Amino acid sequence: MRWSKLYLPTYKESPSDAEIPSHKLMIRAGAIKKLTSGVYTFLPVGFRVLRKIEAIVREEMDAIGSQEILMPILHPAELYEESGRLQNFGPELFKLNDRKQRMFALGPTHEEVVTDLARAEMRSYRQLPQTLYQILTKFRDEIRPRFGVMRAREFIMKDAYSFHDSDESLEVTYQDMAGAYHRILDRCGLDHMMVEADAGVIGGDVNHEFIVLTEAGESEIFTCSCGYTANSERAESLGQPLSSNESVAEGSPVRVETPGQKTIDEVSAFLEADPSQLVKTLLYRSEGQIVAALIPGDRSLNEVKLMKLLGDPQVQTLGDQEILDVTGAPVGFSGPVGLPKSTRIIADKLLESYEGMIVGANENDAHLRGVKMGRDFVPTETASISEAKAGDTCPRCAKYELVTQRGVELGHIFKLGKKYSRSMNATYLDRDGKDHKFIMGCYGFGVSRAVAAAVEANHDERGIVWPRSITPFHAIVLPINVSDDHTIKVAESIYAELSEQGLDVLFDDRDLRAGFRFKDADLIGVPLRITLGERSLRENKIEIYYRGEDRSELVDPGNVAGLIKAYYDEKPAA
Ligand code: ATP
Ligand code: MG
C-alpha cells in the first residue's frame, strides 16, 4: 500500500470531545471518524486493526467448536416482551416501527433471537450441546456515549450462545470460553484479568468479565493476593476497622443542632467526628414502597447490589420534595429513626460492627448522636450494599487487603441457566420423550471496543504503539528523498520482498519533509519503520526503527527482510 494512495487523514490536534488518549489518538491517526454521538466510521487504518482482531476471535471460537452464524439485527419487539427485556433494558433499547406500526428493536444482544431459534430447531437432547456465535453490529442507546468506539451506540460484538441439557455440560463450555477469551487477549497482546462480575440486564448468576488493565478504564477491579478478583459492582469486603467509634448514648439518642450542615464532610467537621461514624440514609422508591438504604458515611452505595436485592431494575431515588414529604426534613437531614412504619430499611452489613452512629434527625438543621441500631430503629434487613474500597479486608481470605486497579471491560461471559428458556418456553425432549428447558450460557466480546482498548493500553506521547499481532501495517518503508532514483530503487525492492513474505507494508512515497513523515509514522503506531537515507545508503546501510522501544539499528539492505520476519515470528514478551 502506497501512502499517497491511502485514505489516511492525520491531525495535529485532538477533537474537543475526546477525553482519553485512545479516543484522541484514534481520531488523530485517522483510524476512525465520528458521524454523530456514539456512531463512528472505521477508516482504512482502523478497519485493518478491527479485521485482525476479528480474525483472532474467529480462530479461537472455531477452535473450541463454536459455530459461526449470522442473525438479523432487526428484531420483532414481541420477543422482548416474552423475555421481559422490553421493560428491563429500558431506554437503552433502540426501538422503531415498521409501516404497519409493528414495533421492532435493533439488537443490543441476541439472547431472544437465538432462544427463538433453539426452541424451533433444537428439539432433541441428541442435538445438545450446541454453541453458536456471530460477529455483528449491536445497537444500544447508551445514556452517555463517550470515549469514541469504547462506549458507542453502534458497535461490533462477538456474541456466542450455548445450549445444554445439564449444568456439567454448561460448565465445560463455560471453561472452554474462558480459555478462548484468555487466548484471544493474549494473542492481541493485551494484559488482562478475569474477574467476578455482576450480570446486569443480561441476567443469570455466575459470570465473569475480562478486563484489560489501563489507567483510564471505566471499570474498577478489586484483587487480593489470595486470588480473589471482582469488579466494583460485584466486590464484597469486610471493611476496615473503625478509626474511632461513636459511643451509644444512654437511654436514647442525643439531638444536636447542625444548622446548614448537610453533607458528610460538613457534618463530620462540624461535630468533629470521623466521617465513618456518620451513617448515610439514602431514600429510594421501589414498586411503590419507600426504601431507606443505610451505609457508612465514608462509603458509596452500590446501586447494582441494591437493585439486585430489591429485584427491581427500575428503582428510583427520591426527589427533594418527596424526601421532605417522607421524612419531614429537607435533603441532608434524613435518618433511620422515626421513618414511616412502611419504610423498608436496609442496613449495610458493615454497620453491624457499629456501636453508636450519627444520623440525620429527620428534622431541619439537626442530627442524632449515639444512635444504636436495634434499639433506636430496627432495620428490615442487613445486606452488603456499599461499595468496597482499596485497603478493605478481603471477603474471601479475611486476611489480606484488597487492592484496586482500573481497566476496560472487553469480554463478559455468563451462565444464564434457564432464564431465557423459561421466560420464552424453549424446550427439548430428553431420551424418555419428556420436555425440559434448555440450560444456556452467553459470551460477549467487544470487538470494536478492543481496538480502542489496545490503543489505551499501548501508546506514548507521540502516538499509538500497536501490539504486533493487530498492527494495521507490519512496517513502513520510508525513503527520505523520494526524488533520488537509487533510494527509490532500493526502497521498492525491500517493499516488494516484504510484501512477498505476506507482510502488510506501507510505502511512504509522499514528497514531504522527513520530520513531518516521521511524526506521522509515530502517530499511526506501526511497530517498525525502515528508513532509507542517501548518506547511509552510500555505506550500504538502512535504518530499522523499533517504535515501541524507541531504538534504531543500521543494517545491510539484504538483512532487512529477515530481521523483520524474525521480529514478527518472535513471541512478544508479555
Ligand atoms: P458495560 O458495562 O461496559 O456497559 P455491558 O456489561 O453492558 O458493558 P455486555 O452486555 O456484557 O456489556 O456486552 C459484551 C461486551 O460488548 C462488553 O464486554 C463490551 O466489550 C462490549 N460493549 C458493551 N457495550 C458497548 C458499547 N456501548 N460500545 C462498545 N462496546 C460495548
Ligand atoms: Mg452496558
Side-chain angles (χ1 to χ4, degrees):
M1 176 61 72
R2 280 164 210 272
W3 199 317
S4 61
K5 305 267 187 309
L6 178 65
Y7 183 61
L8 174 48
T10 57
Y11 302 94
K12 238 178 146 160
E13 304 295 332
S14 312
S16 58
D17 66 341
E19 297 165 63
I20 58 168
S22 60
H23 185 190
K24 292 180 186 169
L25 289 172
M26 286 179 78
I27 299 275
R28 287 187 51 213
I32 55 169
K33 172 80 187 151
K34 177 171 164 178
L35 175 64
T36 183
S37 169
V39 183
Y40 288 83
T41 297
F42 274 86
L43 298 178
V45 162
F47 192 57
R48 278 171 173 264
V49 178
L50 188 77
R51 279 288 198 218
K52 289 195 177 179
I53 295 174
E54 263 183 32
I56 291 173
V57 169
R58 206 168 254 126
E59 273 178 34
E60 294 298 339
M61 284 298 111
D62 293 344
I64 58 165
S66 185
Q67 305 151 72
E68 188 165 10
I69 59 171
L70 191 61
M71 289 185 269
I73 288 172
L74 197 58
H75 301 171
E78 296 92 76
L79 285 181
Y80 288 78
E81 260 158 28
E82 272 191 67
S83 70
R85 284 211 302 182
L86 197 56
Q87 245 222 318
N88 288 351
F89 230 102
E92 223 175 87
L93 191 68
F94 268 108
K95 300 169 205 78
L96 68 163
N97 288 335
D98 72 3
R99 63 174 80 206
K100 293 182 189 141
Q101 298 310 312
R102 189 172 165 218
M103 202 206 287
F104 285 81
L106 298 179
T109 54
H110 281 59
E111 281 79 5
E112 285 81 0
V113 175
V114 81
T115 305
D116 184 62
L117 179 78
R119 70 181 166 187
E121 303 296 333
M122 295 180 203
R123 292 302 301 144
S124 160
Y125 72 96
R126 282 195 206 89
Q127 289 164 283
L128 301 179
Q130 286 290 348
T131 307
L132 304 172
Y133 81 96
Q134 61 176 350
I135 297 177
L136 184 68
T137 300
K138 298 279 189 265
F139 293 84
R140 292 184 186 180
D141 198 357
E142 294 279 351
I143 190 161
R144 208 175 152 212
R146 56 181 182 161
F147 304 154
V149 295
M150 191 88 94
R151 181 166 298 285
R153 298 198 295 167
E154 176 177 336
F155 58 95
I156 298 174
M157 196 200 287
K158 183 285 300 175
D159 46 328
Y161 305 89
S162 66
F163 296 86
H164 310 268
D165 61 358
S166 70
D167 291 334
E168 293 72 34
S169 167
L170 170 61
E171 173 67 14
V172 170
T173 302
Y174 194 80
Q175 294 306 336
D176 282 352
M177 279 287 170
Y181 276 42
H182 281 304
R183 283 191 297 278
I184 289 168
L185 291 166
D186 283 343
R187 286 182 61 188
C188 289
L190 298 174
D191 196 9
H192 67 279
M193 283 183 94
M194 179 171 103
V195 303
E196 276 182 27
D198 185 84
V201 287
I202 307 274
D205 192 20
V206 175
N207 69 102
H208 289 88
E209 285 176 354
F210 288 78
I211 307 284
V212 168
L213 302 171
T214 65
E215 275 162 34
E218 282 187 291
S219 302
E220 186 178 35
I221 57 173
F222 288 80
T223 58
C224 174
S225 42
C226 77
Y228 177 76
T229 59
N231 74 2
S232 57
E233 290 173 350
R234 179 75 177 222
E236 307 274 324
S237 99
L238 299 181
Q240 298 174 25
L242 292 170
S243 55
S244 51
N245 215 329
E246 172 78 3
S247 52
V248 179
E250 219 172 288
S252 55
V254 178
R255 179 182 171 284
V256 287
E257 302 268 337
T258 48
Q261 313 295 314
K262 297 181 177 181
T263 65
I264 293 290
D265 286 347
E266 287 167 356
V267 178
S268 65
F270 188 79
L271 297 178
E272 293 179 6
D274 192 86
S276 64
Q277 289 170 264
L278 276 63
V279 169
K280 285 187 203 168
T281 304
L282 304 165
L283 295 165
Y284 291 83
R285 183 185 304 281
S286 167
E287 287 159 6
Q289 189 182 29
I290 303 295
V291 175
L294 308 186
I295 55 169
D298 58 342
R299 287 182 190 260
S300 308
L301 182 86
N302 183 325
E303 291 201 339
V304 175
K305 285 186 190 166
L306 182 70
M307 232 182 263
K308 247 184 146 166
L309 184 74
L310 298 172
D312 176 13
Q314 317 293 354
V315 54
Q316 294 277 341
T317 48
L318 294 193
D320 293 3
Q321 183 58 44
E322 286 175 297
I323 290 177
L324 190 62
D325 293 345
V326 169
T327 67
V331 181
F333 300 99
S334 307
V337 183
L339 285 174
K341 285 240 154 358
S342 58
T343 311
R344 178 166 170 185
I345 301 177
I346 305 171
D348 186 56
K349 268 215 165 314
L350 296 178
L351 297 177
E352 286 173 349
S353 68
Y354 278 53
E355 309 213 336
M357 303 171 173
I358 302 172
V359 301
N362 294 325
E363 185 188 322
N364 195 14
D365 292 344
H367 279 76
L368 299 177
R369 290 200 77 148
V371 172
K372 186 168 173 54
M373 186 157 79
R375 179 192 73 181
D376 303 320
F377 72 93
V378 181
T380 319
E381 71 220 273
T382 54
S384 167
I385 52 169
S386 63
E387 284 184 352
K389 289 205 300 192
D392 283 356
T393 304
C394 170
R396 182 169 298 166
C397 67
K399 206 159 131 196
Y400 304 117
E401 286 184 3
L402 294 174
V403 177
T404 55
Q405 279 169 289
R406 298 206 74 84
V408 178
E409 175 197 327
L410 275 199
H412 202 166
I413 60 176
F414 300 79
K415 284 189 182 176
L416 290 171
K418 297 180 180 168
K419 179 176 152 74
Y420 289 88
S421 55
R422 211 176 276 132
S423 59
M424 295 181 62
N425 195 27
T427 59
Y428 65 91
L429 296 173
D430 70 9
R431 64 177 69 231
D432 302 320
K434 251 187 80 194
D435 262 352
H436 293 277
K437 307 271 189 290
F438 291 106
I439 296 171
M440 292 171 56
C442 77
Y443 319 89
F445 183 87
V447 179
S448 49
R449 181 182 282 185
V451 182
V455 177
E456 203 52 52
N458 299 281
H459 68 269
D460 59 21
E461 62 295 340
R462 289 176 291 143
I464 303 170
V465 187
W466 289 110
R468 27 188 128 174
S469 57
I470 59 173
T471 177
F473 295 101
H474 293 107
I476 292 182
V477 174
L478 193 152
I480 289 179
N481 181 359
V482 292
S483 324
D484 179 61
D485 288 344
H486 179 62
T487 310
I488 288 298
K489 208 175 129 221
V490 181
E492 288 283 5
S493 80
I494 287 176
Y495 175 64
E497 195 180 355
L498 293 175
S499 301
E500 267 161 37
Q501 289 188 354
L503 294 170
D504 299 320
V505 190
L506 182 57
F507 190 96
D508 190 355
D509 57 346
R510 298 173 301 166
D511 192 3
L512 296 169
R513 270 190 308 112
F516 180 86
R517 292 155 76 206
F518 289 165
K519 278 214 174 94
D520 261 0
D522 284 349
L523 175 62
I524 69 163
V526 174
L528 301 177
R529 189 186 74 211
I530 302 157
T531 316
L532 298 94
E534 281 169 88
R535 208 173 325 132
S536 27
L537 267 183
R538 248 177 263 132
E539 286 154 30
N540 206 29
K541 292 286 182 208
I542 286 177
E543 183 199 67
I544 300 183
Y545 173 68
Y546 297 83
R547 170 78 178 86
E549 296 140 58
D550 190 23
R551 167 177 77 84
S552 49
E553 63 184 354
L554 287 172
V555 302
D556 290 347
N559 291 341
V560 172
L563 279 167
I564 291 190
K565 184 145 190 335
Y567 179 83
Y568 282 103
D569 286 344
E570 181 188 312
K571 236 177 114 58

